[in-house]
Amino acid sequence: MDVRQLRHFAAVADTLHFGRAAERLRMTQPPLSQSIMGLERELGAPLFARTKRNVRLTSLGEEWLPRVLDVLAGLNELPIIARGIRDGQTGRLSLSFVSTADYSLLPSLVRRYSQAFPNVEIQLFEATSDVQLPALVNGERHAGIIIPSAEQPLPPSLSYRRLLREPLVAAVPSAWIDTGQIGDAEALSREEVLASPLILFPRQVAPAFHDLVTGYFTALGGRARIVQEAIQMQTIISLVSSGLGIALVPASLRNLARTGVRYVPLAGQAPELETGLAWRGGDIAPPLANFLQLLD
C-alpha cells in the first residue's frame, strides 16, 4: 500500500466512475483499475461493488474512506507544517529563568514573543543560574535568563548576551519604618545597612548575587550579618515582611507588592545587578533564532 493507491481510491470513491477518476488523475483507466485491485488484495476485501452500469462503495469502502481522506489531508499539510517549523512560526521555545527576571524582563519578553509568534508553544522553567547552565549545555533548554558570575565563567559551548543592569534597593519591614527603626524611608543609610540583619540567597546557588550583596557590605566598611537564606525571591520577601531582616534586591522587584514590605533606595552609589541570556551555540532552533532577533 502506498500513497498513490490511497489517492486512487479517494478519486474513484468521489466519482464512483473509473473513467472519470482516471481523467482526474491524468492516467489511463487500466492502471487505475489494477491499482485498486492491488489495494483490495492487500486489504483482503473489496472496496467497490462493480457492475456494468455503476460502481458503489462497499461497507468497508464507506467506513474506510473518511480515514483515508484524513490521512491524505495530513499529507497535504506536511509541507506547510515543515515551512512553519523551518521559519520558527510553529514549534516550541523552552526558556528557563531566575526568579528575579519574573519581575523585570520575563513578562514583556514573553508577551512580545507570543504576539509575534502565536503558534509557538513557550515552556517556562524557573531555576537558579547554577541549575540552568548544565541544562543549557545538555540541550534540555533552548535558552536561560541568568545572573552571570565572574568567578564561574560560562561553559565555552554557551553564548551570552547582557539584557539588563539595575541597581539594588533594600526591601525593609514596614514596621521598622513605622516605629522609627529606620530613620529615613527615602534612603537607607550606610549605618542602617550595616546594622540590619540580612536575608540572602545561598552562595552555592547564586554566587554572583551573593557576592554582589556581601561585597557591598565590605565596601561600606562592615560585614553582612546573614540571619536567613532562601532560594526563592518570594520567600525572601516573605521573610522580610515578618520582620526578620532586610534584603537587598533588584529595583524591579518593586513590582512584587507585599504587605509589610517597603522598598527603600540605598544611599550613595548602589551596586548593580546584571541579568542576561545564555544559550547553546551551533545549530540554533528556529524559535530561538526568532527570540534572539526579538532582542535586537
Side-chain angles (χ1 to χ4, degrees), residues 165-169 249-252 254 266 269-273:
R165 285 185 66 88
E166 57 181 327
L168 299 186
V169 299
V249 300
S252 58
R254 291 189 177 102
L266 298 171
Q269 185 66 39
E272 291 188 336
L273 180 70

Side-chain angles (χ1 to χ4, degrees), residues 203-216:
R203 191 177 190 280
Q204 64 268 26
V205 301
F209 189 90
H210 187 282
D211 291 351
L212 182 67
V213 172
T214 56
Y216 176 65

Side-chain angles (χ1 to χ4, degrees), residues 117 120 141:
F117 305 98
V120 175
R141 305 282 181 264

Side-chain angles (χ1 to χ4, degrees), residues 3 32-33 35 94 125 177 181-182 220 230 245 266-267 278:
V3 174
L32 175 60
S33 298
S35 175
S94 177
F125 304 88
I177 298 174
Q181 187 172 342
I182 297 295
L220 294 180
L266 298 171

Side-chain angles (χ1 to χ4, degrees), residues 133-205:
L133 294 180
L136 292 172
V137 170
N138 295 332
E140 298 170 23
R141 305 282 181 264
H142 288 127
I145 300 175
I146 66 168
I147 297 173
S149 170
E151 184 180 297
Q152 298 179 351
L154 292 181
S157 61
L158 297 184
S159 299
Y160 175 78
R161 177 172 178 173
R162 185 174 74 184
L163 298 178
L164 175 69
R165 285 185 66 88
E166 57 181 327
L168 299 186
V169 299
V172 178
S174 299
W176 290 15
I177 298 174
D178 296 338
T179 60
Q181 187 172 342
I182 297 295
D184 186 358
E186 298 302 318
L188 203 64
S189 69
R190 168 186 175 276
E191 292 74 20
E192 289 170 329
V193 171
L194 293 176
S196 299
L198 181 67
I199 304 165
L200 187 59
F201 285 107
R203 191 177 190 280
Q204 64 268 26
V205 301

